[in-house]
Amino acid sequence: MFDLISNYHTKLLNAFWVTIELTLYSAFWALILGTVVAAMRVSPIPIARWIGTLYVNIIRNTPLTLIIVFCSLGLYSTLGLRLAPEGPDSISENSFRFAIVGLSVYTAAFVCESLRSGINTVPFGQSEAGRSLGFTFGQNLRFVVLPQAFRAVIAPLGSVFIALTKNSTIASAIGVGEAALLMSEMNENEAAVLNIGAIFALGFIILTLPTGLLFGWLAKRFEVAR
């Protein structure tokens, strides 16, 4: 195992760094999109609730691999939509960015449902108090409901982002040079399947364990007293 790590240490560091980048960028956009969809799902406007519900039901029941492959083959190869300028690295850069799009769109559905459960924990009387002060729906959501909802779902959001870290391996399906693609390459070149599997399992434990501990601490630190 240590010989493999020594021989591939540069590639391992680069591959796991790409995994970290995919996770961070996708988590950022998924949080924004998921918050918007959650707001739509609790909106007083029926069409907004319908669109939000349709989005969540469709995305949650669609395989992530299909979403990412559609982004690459459908949007990029077939329709010619580009997210990176032309250049020698345009193909790999476009694949990377479309992987972020796919991961963000998929994860946003789970962020939405976690956040909506947090919104449901906010006492109805507080929303009524906000309306009595003249707050619009958006202001009530922004100043009264969402701050408490986020504090209530820190731990579930941590689980969602840990799942996102592991889901980033699907990006190898469109050629993104992250951990899973390197693992496949090493399995083809080395006759040490168990050792290679152990290396990458350890790598993902190193990535996800601190995330779980951090979100667990944040959940206790910012717990809403009822």
Side-chain angles (χ1 to χ4, degrees):
M1 181 186 296
F2 293 106
D3 289 339
L4 285 172
I5 294 174
S6 176
N7 293 335
Y8 287 90
H9 70 278
T10 301
K11 288 186 176 181
L12 285 168
L13 290 175
N14 291 336
F16 276 105
W17 177 246
V18 173
T19 296
I20 292 171
E21 287 185 313
L22 282 172
T23 301
L24 293 178
Y25 285 126
S26 301
F28 174 78
W29 291 112
L31 190 61
I32 293 176
L33 180 58
T35 302
V36 172
V37 178
M40 294 174 66
R41 293 211 64 184
V42 298
S43 170
I45 303 174
I47 186 64
R49 292 198 304 271
W50 183 82
I51 293 174
T53 301
L54 186 66
Y55 174 90
V56 170
N57 288 335
I58 290 176
I59 297 300
R60 288 181 69 183
N61 291 286
T62 302
L64 176 57
T65 304
L66 183 60
I67 293 174
I68 290 182
V69 170
F70 170 78
C71 288
S72 178
L73 297 182
L75 299 180
Y76 177 48
S77 300
T78 304
L79 299 180
L81 179 63
R82 299 178 182 272
L83 298 180
E86 290 286 349
D89 297 324
S90 62
I91 294 178
S92 60
E93 187 64 25
N94 271 293
S95 296
F96 177 78
R97 296 187 181 188
F98 275 114
I100 292 174
V101 171
L103 287 167
S104 301
V105 168
Y106 181 79
T107 307
F110 295 90
V111 170
C112 166
E113 290 303 275
S114 296
L115 190 53
R116 190 166 70 95
S117 68
I119 291 173
N120 291 335
T121 66
V122 178
F124 183 72
Q126 295 196 22
S127 299
E128 287 294 310
R131 281 192 287 268
S132 69
L133 292 173
F135 286 177
T136 63
F137 170 76
Q139 291 173 327
N140 210 6
L141 202 64
R142 178 183 174 186
F143 296 116
V144 178
V145 178
L146 282 181
Q148 297 183 70
F150 273 112
R151 292 175 64 181
V153 297
I154 291 176
L157 284 178
S159 298
V160 170
F161 293 142
I162 287 173
L164 169 60
T165 304
K166 293 181 286 187
N167 287 340
S168 66
T169 57
I170 304 298
S172 63
I174 58 173
V176 178
E178 46 74 58
L181 191 65
L182 178 59
M183 181 177 176
S184 176
E185 176 187 326
M186 290 175 66
N187 281 326
E188 291 177 0
N189 298 330
E190 307 288 343
V193 176
L194 292 179
N195 288 339
I196 293 171
I199 290 171
F200 284 90
L202 179 61
F204 276 97
I205 289 173
I206 292 172
L207 291 182
T208 57
L209 186 58
T211 303
L213 294 174
L214 174 62
F215 275 87
W217 177 81
L218 289 174
K220 293 180 180 178
R221 175 67 178 79
F222 296 102
E223 183 179 4
V224 179
R226 298 297 186 191

